[in-house]
Amino acid sequence: MLDKYAANPGDRDNLPESARDAEENRCALGGAEAMQGMPNNPDCADASLPAEPGETLITLSCRINGQPVTAEVPPSRRLLTVLREEFGLTGTKRSCELGRCGACMVLIDGRPVNSCLTMAYQCEGAGITTIEGLSGGGLHPVQQAFLEEGGFQCGYCTPGMVISVVALLSENPKPAPEEVEEALSGNLCRCTGYGGIMRAVNKAIEKGVG
Amino acid sequence: MEALRDEPLWTPAVQRPRSLHEAWELKRTFGRDGVYVAGSTLLRTQWEAGTVSMPKSLIDLRGIEDLADIDEDGGGLSIGALADLSRCRRSAALGHMAPAVQEAVRCIAAPAVRNLATIGGNIASGYGDCLPALLVCDAELAVFDGKFLSRRRVEEWLADRWSGMHPQEDILTGIWLAPPAGPAGSRRIEIFRKVGRREAFTPSLVTVAIGCFIDSEGRLSGVKIAAGGGSGRPQRLDIAEAVLEGASIGKEQLASVFEAVVTQFETYGDPFATVEYKKKTAGNLIVAELWKALEGSAGKGDH
Ligand SMILES: Cc1cc2nc3c(=O)[nH]c(=O)nc-3n(C[C@H](O)[C@H](O)[C@H](O)COP(=O)(O)OP(=O)(O)OC[C@H]3O[C@@H](n4cnc5c(N)ncnc54)[C@H](O)[C@@H]3O)c2cc1C
Ligand code: FES
Ligand code: FES
């Protein structure tokens, strides 16, 4: 999809402006125009995941954003790649690909995991929620809090950050500051200095999200 | 135009055994071409760093029944090798039985990584941050060798692991922790500390762990001290232990403990920290933690 314009798919400067805009509309905060989890999204047919020579495929059956889906994928392909390239869910961001930045965070059966560390076979039968899945009925209250409190600048870390906050508050609606710190310790932000993010989390806590 | 991917063009096939025997047989058949996988978080790090190449096949241990349970058992605690680190972090029983191990788990990676990573994978690496803590808790490891399940002390297992002599097909099935038993009227002290290049979510440069009992007169017994860090071998520091065994801590003992740690701790230098820096860090951490524990226990009686 859009990544094909970028030498490094995470490098937005390499995107043509129209593509950057489209990416923004679709993905910043996973907002209203975010694509829903469409199985084998026809827009993404050019980015399906064919087997390389010698590779076997499995039929991955799981639920993505509430919808049952199946896909023929190599078993140890990263979930990140499957989500972005097979299902067109590019709100899940790609950055370090090492589990260190949290940009690729999704919920698997309600728990946050780094989709760059997770392989397709590990998701069989699982329920996966991406940033797009949070905003089916309008912005999720955590997204709203990020908007109101300026919890982002470039927005690249934001989908992962929001997913981690949603996971935290659904398990612990009134976390102590050190619990918030621990829950977000795997999400790095290069822009905000975390002040706006912490304000957004506190606002979501005050509003009783979770 | 194809989407550009940084992933290697092919990825390993995955075998999904349902029993220990089946997994063991698969590993024996595949040899170096097959690798056991649990959470895959360390393997991924190694593949990306290029320190280990991707195998042709992964042998997924997660389909084997009962390997992820945490059970209180005969006064002790058994933790399945496939228990993820988040469960270990939350387990009240582990916090009670082996607080140093739980603290080590808390310091590993971040919550989302811990949701995937297993305690067995941490140990099986031979250098995971849990190991120094397990060394001071007198833990035993359950290992399946293709025929039998046997329990081995962590130290013994580590010696084999680092000698390169241990059979590659061995499967770690769990950890056994006996309840710590000290002299009547004594109190258990257990500490784990990790130092990295930044405060949180960082690989360790040095880790230390201490386990001992302290009686109402401040005398120590059952002293166990261990250190590790990075990809270095976790090890007991028995010279420092001997300095403290039966002693009441004072400034002189702590100076001797520091010397003993610096002399005995075997580690390696890297571009960020020299061997001397790591030795000193281990010595300082151990002495500082003992000092804090002592100050904390001044005036306290038994538990
Ligand atoms: C971002 C990030 C940060 C990290 N930070 C830390 C850290 O601070 N401290 C730390 O110690 N580690 C850290 N790690 C490494 C890793 O997450 C942990 O060591 C984890 O516990 C490994 O468990 P796993 O289940 O993912 O192991 P895997 O990657 O699945 O396996 C690790 C090794 O053990 C073998 N293995 C796994 N299970 C068994 C078994 N039951 N029997 C025999 N062999 C087995 C595998 O063949 C492999 O060689 C980090 C990793 C990442 C990605
Ligand atoms: S891209 Fe997955 S954690 Fe950075
Ligand atoms: S807002 Fe730019 S990285 Fe967080």
Side-chain angles (χ1 to χ4, degrees):
Chain A
M1 289 293 297
L2 298 175
D3 283 351
K4 71 177 136 182
Y5 295 109
N8 166 2
D11 183 356
R12 291 162 46 84
D13 292 342
N14 288 334
L15 295 175
E17 207 151 300
S18 57
R20 240 183 294 161
D21 289 345
E23 168 115 313
E24 249 154 41
N25 284 340
R26 230 170 45 174
C27 305
L29 283 169
E33 289 182 56
M35 288 171 77
Q36 296 303 306
M38 301 234 312
N40 312 82
N41 188 327
D43 285 358
C44 298
D46 61 334
S48 63
L49 301 176
E52 299 297 337
E55 248 183 353
T56 48
L57 295 180
I58 55 163
T59 305
L60 168 67
S61 303
C62 59
R63 293 178 75 80
I64 299 182
N65 298 332
Q67 294 186 39
V69 296
T70 57
E72 299 284 312
V73 291
S76 47
R77 186 71 88 220
R78 295 171 201 268
L79 174 61
L80 173 64
T81 312
V82 174
L83 288 172
R84 289 177 60 87
E85 297 187 14
E86 178 78 359
F87 293 101
L89 295 168
T90 51
T92 302
K93 294 299 177 212
R94 169 190 210 172
S95 183
C96 70
E97 298 192 297
L98 271 174
R100 298 211 168 265
C101 74
C104 66
M105 203 72 78
V106 297
L107 300 177
I108 297 191
D109 296 330
R111 304 200 315 165
V113 298
N114 310 78
S115 62
C116 68
L117 294 178
T118 309
M119 293 186 256
Y121 77 89
Q122 294 170 319
C123 301
E124 274 181 41
I128 298 163
T129 308
T130 67
I131 188 72
E132 292 89 344
L134 290 184
S135 50
L139 283 188
H140 186 281
V142 170
Q143 293 173 309
Q144 187 64 37
F146 269 71
L147 265 180
E148 287 171 12
E149 294 299 329
F152 59 96
Q153 285 176 25
C154 79
Y156 203 80
C157 69
T158 313
M161 205 62 90
V162 167
I163 289 276
S164 289
V165 176
V166 168
L168 168 69
L169 298 187
S170 60
E171 196 185 303
N172 179 4
K174 295 242 174 291
E178 58 277 11
E179 290 172 319
V180 176
E181 244 175 60
E182 183 175 339
L184 295 187
S185 60
N187 292 83
L188 302 186
C189 174
R190 303 304 300 264
C191 303
T192 63
Y194 301 98
I197 292 171
M198 287 305 162
R199 281 199 307 277
V201 176
N202 289 334
K203 180 148 211 178
I205 295 171
E206 275 164 32
K207 281 187 174 167
V209 178
Chain B
M1 193 168 141
E2 267 284 309
L4 291 172
R5 287 201 299 263
D6 307 334
E7 280 187 61
L9 288 181
W10 60 272
T11 58
V14 179
Q15 310 295 326
R16 312 185 77 174
R18 310 303 294 179
S19 71
L20 284 171
H21 281 98
E22 200 189 331
W24 190 91
E25 282 296 341
L26 281 166
K27 174 68 185 154
R28 203 179 55 158
T29 309
F30 285 123
R32 289 189 173 280
D33 288 340
V35 166
Y36 292 134
V37 58
S40 75
T41 59
L42 179 62
L43 285 169
R44 176 64 68 187
T45 308
Q46 294 172 332
W47 297 335
E48 296 292 332
T51 52
V52 168
S53 51
M54 266 192 187
K56 291 202 174 112
S57 285
L58 295 172
I59 304 166
D60 177 23
L61 300 175
R62 295 177 324 148
I64 303 173
E65 228 174 302
D66 298 335
L67 280 194
D69 297 344
I70 301 183
D71 289 319
E72 286 178 82
D73 186 1
L77 187 68
S78 91
I79 306 173
L82 274 281
D84 67 55
L85 294 179
S86 294
R87 275 192 70 205
C88 298
R89 163 91 176 93
R90 280 196 304 267
S91 162
L94 179 60
H96 177 70
M97 195 79 73
V101 176
Q102 195 165 53
E103 176 62 8
V105 167
R106 187 186 72 81
C107 296
I108 293 172
V113 180
R114 294 198 291 266
N115 284 337
L116 294 166
T118 65
I119 192 159
N122 193 267
I123 296 167
S125 67
Y127 54 79
D129 284 347
C130 287
L131 279 161
L134 289 166
L135 279 172
V136 303
C137 295
D138 243 349
E140 291 182 331
L141 302 180
V143 177
F144 180 70
D145 66 3
K147 280 207 173 85
F148 302 108
L149 256 180
S150 54
R151 273 209 213 145
R152 312 196 49 201
R153 293 183 54 234
V154 175
E155 267 175 286
E156 248 178 63
W157 179 88
L158 268 175
D160 268 8
R161 176 76 180 68
W162 280 79
S163 70
M165 301 290 281
H166 82 298
Q168 299 289 314
E169 299 86 3
D170 276 6
I171 301 174
L172 183 65
T173 63
I175 300 118
W176 165 256
L177 290 158
S186 66
R187 199 167 67 84
R188 174 86 179 151
I189 295 176
E190 237 180 66
I191 296 159
F192 173 86
R193 284 274 277 131
K194 164 173 167 174
V195 167
R197 295 208 316 274
R198 49 170 210 241
E199 202 178 326
F201 194 26
T202 178
S204 54
L205 281 178
V206 175
T207 52
V208 299
I210 305 168
C212 62
F213 296 93
I214 184 163
D215 69 17
S216 52
E217 270 139 44
R219 260 193 312 271
L220 302 183
S221 60
V223 180
K224 294 202 167 67
I225 299 179
S231 53
R233 177 179 172 165
Q235 57 208 265
R236 284 270 297 279
L237 299 171
D238 57 6
I239 305 177
E241 291 172 0
V243 172
L244 292 171
E245 188 66 35
S248 300
I249 298 190
K251 280 191 182 148
E252 309 81 64
Q253 271 86 5
L254 290 182
S256 308
V257 167
F258 179 83
E259 285 309 320
V261 171
V262 169
T263 310
Q264 192 178 15
F265 181 35
E266 285 179 21
T267 181
Y268 64 99
D270 59 43
F272 300 101
T274 60
V275 170
E276 289 68 34
Y277 174 87
K278 290 186 181 180
K279 280 171 170 271
K280 262 192 191 172
T281 303
N284 283 331
L285 279 176
I286 289 167
V287 166
E289 290 303 320
L290 282 168
W291 186 253
K292 277 195 259 171
L294 253 119
E295 285 195 320
S297 68
K300 280 190 194 160
D302 48 340
H303 57 156

Short mmCIF file of all heavy atoms in Angstrom, two decimals, chain A residues 117-163:
data_model
loop_
_atom_site.label_atom_id
_atom_site.label_comp_id
_atom_site.label_asym_id
_atom_site.label_seq_id
_atom_site.Cartn_x
_atom_site.Cartn_y
_atom_site.Cartn_z
N LEU A 117 6.81 -8.54 17.34
CA LEU A 117 7.42 -9.72 17.97
C LEU A 117 6.54 -10.95 17.83
O LEU A 117 6.97 -12.06 18.12
CB LEU A 117 7.63 -9.47 19.47
CG LEU A 117 8.63 -8.40 19.90
CD1 LEU A 117 8.65 -8.29 21.43
CD2 LEU A 117 10.03 -8.71 19.38
N THR A 118 5.29 -10.72 17.42
CA THR A 118 4.32 -11.82 17.39
C THR A 118 4.28 -12.42 16.00
O THR A 118 4.26 -11.68 15.01
CB THR A 118 2.92 -11.26 17.73
OG1 THR A 118 3.03 -10.49 18.93
CG2 THR A 118 1.91 -12.36 17.93
N MET A 119 4.27 -13.76 15.94
CA MET A 119 4.23 -14.38 14.62
C MET A 119 2.82 -14.87 14.32
O MET A 119 2.04 -15.14 15.24
CB MET A 119 5.24 -15.52 14.57
CG MET A 119 6.67 -15.00 14.64
SD MET A 119 7.90 -16.27 14.41
CE MET A 119 8.46 -16.50 16.08
N ALA A 120 2.53 -15.01 13.03
CA ALA A 120 1.14 -15.33 12.61
C ALA A 120 0.63 -16.56 13.33
O ALA A 120 -0.50 -16.58 13.82
CB ALA A 120 1.12 -15.53 11.10
N TYR A 121 1.46 -17.61 13.43
CA TYR A 121 0.94 -18.86 14.01
C TYR A 121 0.55 -18.67 15.48
O TYR A 121 -0.27 -19.41 16.00
CB TYR A 121 1.97 -20.00 13.88
CG TYR A 121 3.11 -19.93 14.88
CD1 TYR A 121 3.00 -20.55 16.12
CD2 TYR A 121 4.28 -19.26 14.58
CE1 TYR A 121 4.03 -20.49 17.04
CE2 TYR A 121 5.32 -19.20 15.49
CZ TYR A 121 5.19 -19.82 16.72
OH TYR A 121 6.21 -19.76 17.63
N GLN A 122 1.13 -17.65 16.14
CA GLN A 122 0.81 -17.42 17.55
C GLN A 122 -0.56 -16.76 17.72
O GLN A 122 -1.01 -16.56 18.84
CB GLN A 122 1.90 -16.54 18.20
CG GLN A 122 3.27 -17.22 18.27
CD GLN A 122 4.41 -16.28 18.68
OE1 GLN A 122 4.46 -15.14 18.23
NE2 GLN A 122 5.32 -16.76 19.50
N CYS A 123 -1.18 -16.38 16.61
CA CYS A 123 -2.46 -15.66 16.68
C CYS A 123 -3.64 -16.53 16.31
O CYS A 123 -4.76 -16.03 16.22
CB CYS A 123 -2.43 -14.47 15.72
SG CYS A 123 -1.10 -13.35 16.09
N GLU A 124 -3.40 -17.82 16.03
CA GLU A 124 -4.52 -18.65 15.62
C GLU A 124 -5.59 -18.68 16.69
O GLU A 124 -5.30 -18.94 17.86
CB GLU A 124 -4.04 -20.05 15.27
CG GLU A 124 -3.58 -20.09 13.82
CD GLU A 124 -3.12 -21.45 13.39
OE1 GLU A 124 -3.77 -22.44 13.78
OE2 GLU A 124 -2.09 -21.51 12.70
N GLY A 125 -6.81 -18.38 16.30
CA GLY A 125 -7.94 -18.42 17.24
C GLY A 125 -8.02 -17.21 18.15
O GLY A 125 -8.90 -17.13 19.00
N ALA A 126 -7.10 -16.26 17.99
CA ALA A 126 -7.06 -15.12 18.92
C ALA A 126 -8.00 -14.00 18.49
O ALA A 126 -8.42 -13.93 17.33
CB ALA A 126 -5.63 -14.59 19.01
N GLY A 127 -8.30 -13.12 19.42
CA GLY A 127 -9.05 -11.91 19.10
C GLY A 127 -8.07 -10.74 19.10
O GLY A 127 -7.49 -10.41 20.13
N ILE A 128 -7.89 -10.13 17.92
CA ILE A 128 -6.90 -9.05 17.80
C ILE A 128 -7.64 -7.72 17.67
O ILE A 128 -8.59 -7.61 16.89
CB ILE A 128 -6.02 -9.28 16.55
CG1 ILE A 128 -5.24 -10.61 16.72
CG2 ILE A 128 -5.05 -8.12 16.32
CD1 ILE A 128 -4.67 -11.14 15.44
N THR A 129 -7.22 -6.74 18.42
CA THR A 129 -7.79 -5.39 18.28
C THR A 129 -6.68 -4.44 17.89
O THR A 129 -5.67 -4.34 18.60
CB THR A 129 -8.42 -4.92 19.60
OG1 THR A 129 -9.33 -5.92 20.06
CG2 THR A 129 -9.17 -3.60 19.41
N THR A 130 -6.87 -3.76 16.77
CA THR A 130 -5.90 -2.74 16.35
C THR A 130 -6.50 -1.37 16.67
O THR A 130 -7.66 -1.27 17.07
CB THR A 130 -5.63 -2.82 14.84
OG1 THR A 130 -6.83 -2.43 14.16
CG2 THR A 130 -5.23 -4.23 14.40
N ILE A 131 -5.72 -0.35 16.44
CA ILE A 131 -6.21 1.02 16.72
C ILE A 131 -7.51 1.29 15.96
O ILE A 131 -8.42 1.95 16.48
CB ILE A 131 -5.11 2.07 16.39
CG1 ILE A 131 -5.51 3.45 16.86
CG2 ILE A 131 -4.77 2.09 14.90
CD1 ILE A 131 -5.47 3.63 18.34
N GLU A 132 -7.62 0.74 14.73
CA GLU A 132 -8.85 0.97 13.95
C GLU A 132 -10.06 0.39 14.65
O GLU A 132 -11.16 0.91 14.54
CB GLU A 132 -8.72 0.33 12.55
CG GLU A 132 -7.70 1.00 11.64
CD GLU A 132 -6.29 0.43 11.78
OE1 GLU A 132 -6.03 -0.28 12.78
OE2 GLU A 132 -5.46 0.70 10.89
N GLY A 133 -9.84 -0.71 15.40
CA GLY A 133 -10.95 -1.40 16.05
C GLY A 133 -11.47 -0.67 17.27
O GLY A 133 -12.53 -1.01 17.79
N LEU A 134 -10.70 0.30 17.76
CA LEU A 134 -11.15 1.03 18.95
C LEU A 134 -12.21 2.06 18.60
O LEU A 134 -12.96 2.50 19.47
CB LEU A 134 -9.97 1.77 19.60
CG LEU A 134 -8.91 0.94 20.29
CD1 LEU A 134 -7.90 1.88 20.95
CD2 LEU A 134 -9.51 0.01 21.33
N SER A 135 -12.20 2.51 17.35
CA SER A 135 -12.99 3.70 17.04
C SER A 135 -14.17 3.40 16.13
O SER A 135 -14.62 4.27 15.39
CB SER A 135 -12.08 4.76 16.40
OG SER A 135 -11.34 4.16 15.36
N GLY A 136 -14.69 2.19 16.22
CA GLY A 136 -15.83 1.81 15.37
C GLY A 136 -17.00 2.78 15.52
O GLY A 136 -17.59 3.22 14.53
N GLY A 137 -17.31 3.17 16.76
CA GLY A 137 -18.45 4.05 16.96
C GLY A 137 -18.03 5.48 17.27
O GLY A 137 -18.58 6.10 18.17
N GLY A 138 -17.03 5.98 16.59
CA GLY A 138 -16.48 7.32 16.90
C GLY A 138 -15.23 7.14 17.75
O GLY A 138 -14.84 6.02 18.05
N LEU A 139 -14.63 8.26 18.11
CA LEU A 139 -13.37 8.16 18.85
C LEU A 139 -13.56 7.45 20.18
O LEU A 139 -14.53 7.69 20.89
CB LEU A 139 -12.81 9.56 19.11
CG LEU A 139 -12.14 10.28 17.95
CD1 LEU A 139 -11.48 11.56 18.44
CD2 LEU A 139 -11.12 9.39 17.26
N HIS A 140 -12.62 6.61 20.50
CA HIS A 140 -12.60 5.97 21.82
C HIS A 140 -12.29 7.07 22.85
O HIS A 140 -11.54 8.02 22.54
CB HIS A 140 -11.50 4.90 21.82
CG HIS A 140 -11.46 4.07 23.05
ND1 HIS A 140 -10.88 4.51 24.21
CD2 HIS A 140 -11.93 2.82 23.32
CE1 HIS A 140 -10.98 3.57 25.14
NE2 HIS A 140 -11.62 2.54 24.62
N PRO A 141 -12.84 6.97 24.05
CA PRO A 141 -12.58 8.02 25.05
C PRO A 141 -11.09 8.27 25.32
O PRO A 141 -10.71 9.41 25.62
CB PRO A 141 -13.28 7.51 26.31
CG PRO A 141 -14.24 6.46 25.87
CD PRO A 141 -13.80 5.97 24.53
N VAL A 142 -10.27 7.25 25.16
CA VAL A 142 -8.83 7.48 25.36
C VAL A 142 -8.28 8.32 24.21
O VAL A 142 -7.47 9.24 24.40
CB VAL A 142 -8.06 6.14 25.50
CG1 VAL A 142 -6.55 6.37 25.46
CG2 VAL A 142 -8.45 5.43 26.79
N GLN A 143 -8.75 8.05 22.99
CA GLN A 143 -8.33 8.87 21.84
C GLN A 143 -8.78 10.31 22.04
O GLN A 143 -8.03 11.26 21.78
CB GLN A 143 -8.92 8.30 20.54
CG GLN A 143 -8.35 6.95 20.18
CD GLN A 143 -9.06 6.33 18.98
OE1 GLN A 143 -10.28 6.23 18.96
NE2 GLN A 143 -8.30 5.93 18.00
N GLN A 144 -10.04 10.47 22.53
CA GLN A 144 -10.58 11.80 22.78
C GLN A 144 -9.70 12.54 23.79
O GLN A 144 -9.37 13.72 23.61
CB GLN A 144 -12.02 11.65 23.31
CG GLN A 144 -12.79 12.93 23.46
CD GLN A 144 -13.02 13.62 22.11
OE1 GLN A 144 -13.26 12.96 21.10
NE2 GLN A 144 -12.91 14.93 22.09
N ALA A 145 -9.28 11.83 24.83
CA ALA A 145 -8.44 12.46 25.85
C ALA A 145 -7.09 12.87 25.26
O ALA A 145 -6.55 13.94 25.58
CB ALA A 145 -8.24 11.49 27.02
N PHE A 146 -6.53 12.05 24.35
CA PHE A 146 -5.27 12.42 23.70
C PHE A 146 -5.46 13.69 22.86
O PHE A 146 -4.59 14.56 22.82
CB PHE A 146 -4.75 11.27 22.81
CG PHE A 146 -3.83 10.33 23.54
CD1 PHE A 146 -4.31 9.47 24.51
CD2 PHE A 146 -2.46 10.33 23.27
CE1 PHE A 146 -3.45 8.61 25.20
CE2 PHE A 146 -1.60 9.48 23.95
CZ PHE A 146 -2.09 8.62 24.91
N LEU A 147 -6.60 13.78 22.18
CA LEU A 147 -6.88 14.98 21.37
C LEU A 147 -6.99 16.21 22.25
O LEU A 147 -6.38 17.25 21.98
CB LEU A 147 -8.21 14.80 20.64
CG LEU A 147 -8.19 14.27 19.22
CD1 LEU A 147 -9.62 14.16 18.69
CD2 LEU A 147 -7.37 15.17 18.32
N GLU A 148 -7.77 16.08 23.32
CA GLU A 148 -8.05 17.24 24.16
C GLU A 148 -6.82 17.73 24.91
O GLU A 148 -6.66 18.92 25.17
CB GLU A 148 -9.17 16.90 25.17
CG GLU A 148 -10.53 16.80 24.50
CD GLU A 148 -11.61 16.24 25.42
OE1 GLU A 148 -11.38 16.13 26.64
OE2 GLU A 148 -12.68 15.89 24.89
N GLU A 149 -5.96 16.80 25.27
CA GLU A 149 -4.80 17.18 26.10
C GLU A 149 -3.52 17.33 25.29
O GLU A 149 -2.44 17.47 25.87
CB GLU A 149 -4.59 16.15 27.22
CG GLU A 149 -5.72 16.12 28.24
CD GLU A 149 -5.89 17.46 28.96
OE1 GLU A 149 -4.88 18.18 29.14
OE2 GLU A 149 -7.02 17.79 29.32
N GLY A 150 -3.59 17.26 23.99
CA GLY A 150 -2.38 17.40 23.17
C GLY A 150 -1.40 16.27 23.47
O GLY A 150 -0.20 16.51 23.65
N GLY A 151 -1.91 15.04 23.49
CA GLY A 151 -1.06 13.89 23.82
C GLY A 151 -0.23 13.41 22.66
O GLY A 151 0.30 12.29 22.70
N PHE A 152 -0.11 14.19 21.60
CA PHE A 152 0.73 13.77 20.47
C PHE A 152 1.22 14.98 19.68
O PHE A 152 0.63 16.07 19.77
CB PHE A 152 -0.03 12.83 19.54
CG PHE A 152 -1.27 13.43 18.94
CD1 PHE A 152 -1.23 14.01 17.68
CD2 PHE A 152 -2.46 13.42 19.64
CE1 PHE A 152 -2.37 14.57 17.12
CE2 PHE A 152 -3.61 13.98 19.08
CZ PHE A 152 -3.56 14.56 17.83
N GLN A 153 2.31 14.79 18.96
CA GLN A 153 2.77 15.81 18.02
C GLN A 153 2.80 15.20 16.62
O GLN A 153 1.84 15.32 15.88
CB GLN A 153 4.11 16.38 18.46
CG GLN A 153 3.95 17.32 19.65
CD GLN A 153 5.26 17.83 20.17
OE1 GLN A 153 6.25 17.89 19.46
NE2 GLN A 153 5.29 18.20 21.45
N CYS A 154 3.87 14.45 16.28
CA CYS A 154 3.86 13.84 14.94
C CYS A 154 2.82 12.73 14.86
O CYS A 154 2.32 12.42 13.79
CB CYS A 154 5.24 13.30 14.58
SG CYS A 154 5.64 11.71 15.33
N GLY A 155 2.51 12.11 15.97
CA GLY A 155 1.45 11.11 16.01
C GLY A 155 1.90 9.69 15.72
O GLY A 155 1.09 8.77 15.75
N TYR A 156 3.19 9.51 15.44
CA TYR A 156 3.62 8.17 15.03
C TYR A 156 3.51 7.15 16.16
O TYR A 156 3.16 6.00 15.94
CB TYR A 156 5.07 8.21 14.49
CG TYR A 156 5.33 7.04 13.58
CD1 TYR A 156 4.89 7.05 12.25
CD2 TYR A 156 5.98 5.90 14.04
CE1 TYR A 156 5.10 5.97 11.41
CE2 TYR A 156 6.19 4.81 13.21
CZ TYR A 156 5.75 4.86 11.89
OH TYR A 156 5.94 3.79 11.07
N CYS A 157 3.80 7.61 17.38
CA CYS A 157 3.73 6.68 18.51
C CYS A 157 2.30 6.51 19.02
O CYS A 157 2.04 5.64 19.85
CB CYS A 157 4.59 7.19 19.68
SG CYS A 157 3.91 8.67 20.47
N THR A 158 1.40 7.38 18.56
CA THR A 158 0.10 7.52 19.22
C THR A 158 -0.78 6.27 19.18
O THR A 158 -1.34 5.89 20.22
CB THR A 158 -0.66 8.73 18.64
OG1 THR A 158 0.25 9.84 18.58
CG2 THR A 158 -1.85 9.10 19.51
N PRO A 159 -0.91 5.59 18.02
CA PRO A 159 -1.76 4.39 18.05
C PRO A 159 -1.28 3.38 19.10
O PRO A 159 -2.09 2.84 19.85
CB PRO A 159 -1.61 3.83 16.63
CG PRO A 159 -1.24 5.00 15.79
CD PRO A 159 -0.39 5.87 16.67
N GLY A 160 0.03 3.16 19.17
CA GLY A 160 0.57 2.21 20.14
C GLY A 160 0.34 2.69 21.56
O GLY A 160 -0.01 1.91 22.46
N MET A 161 0.54 3.99 21.75
CA MET A 161 0.36 4.58 23.07
C MET A 161 -1.09 4.41 23.52
O MET A 161 -1.37 4.02 24.65
CB MET A 161 0.72 6.06 22.93
CG MET A 161 1.18 6.78 24.14
SD MET A 161 2.69 6.16 24.89
CE MET A 161 3.99 7.07 24.10
N VAL A 162 -2.02 4.72 22.61
CA VAL A 162 -3.45 4.62 22.94
C VAL A 162 -3.81 3.18 23.29
O VAL A 162 -4.51 2.91 24.28
CB VAL A 162 -4.32 5.15 21.76
CG1 VAL A 162 -5.79 4.79 21.93
CG2 VAL A 162 -4.15 6.66 21.64
N ILE A 163 -3.31 2.24 22.51
CA ILE A 163 -3.61 0.82 22.77
C ILE A 163 -3.12 0.45 24.18
O ILE A 163 -3.82 -0.22 24.95
CB ILE A 163 -2.92 -0.08 21.71
CG1 ILE A 163 -3.61 0.08 20.35
CG2 ILE A 163 -2.87 -1.54 22.17
CD1 ILE A 163 -4.84 -0.78 20.14
#
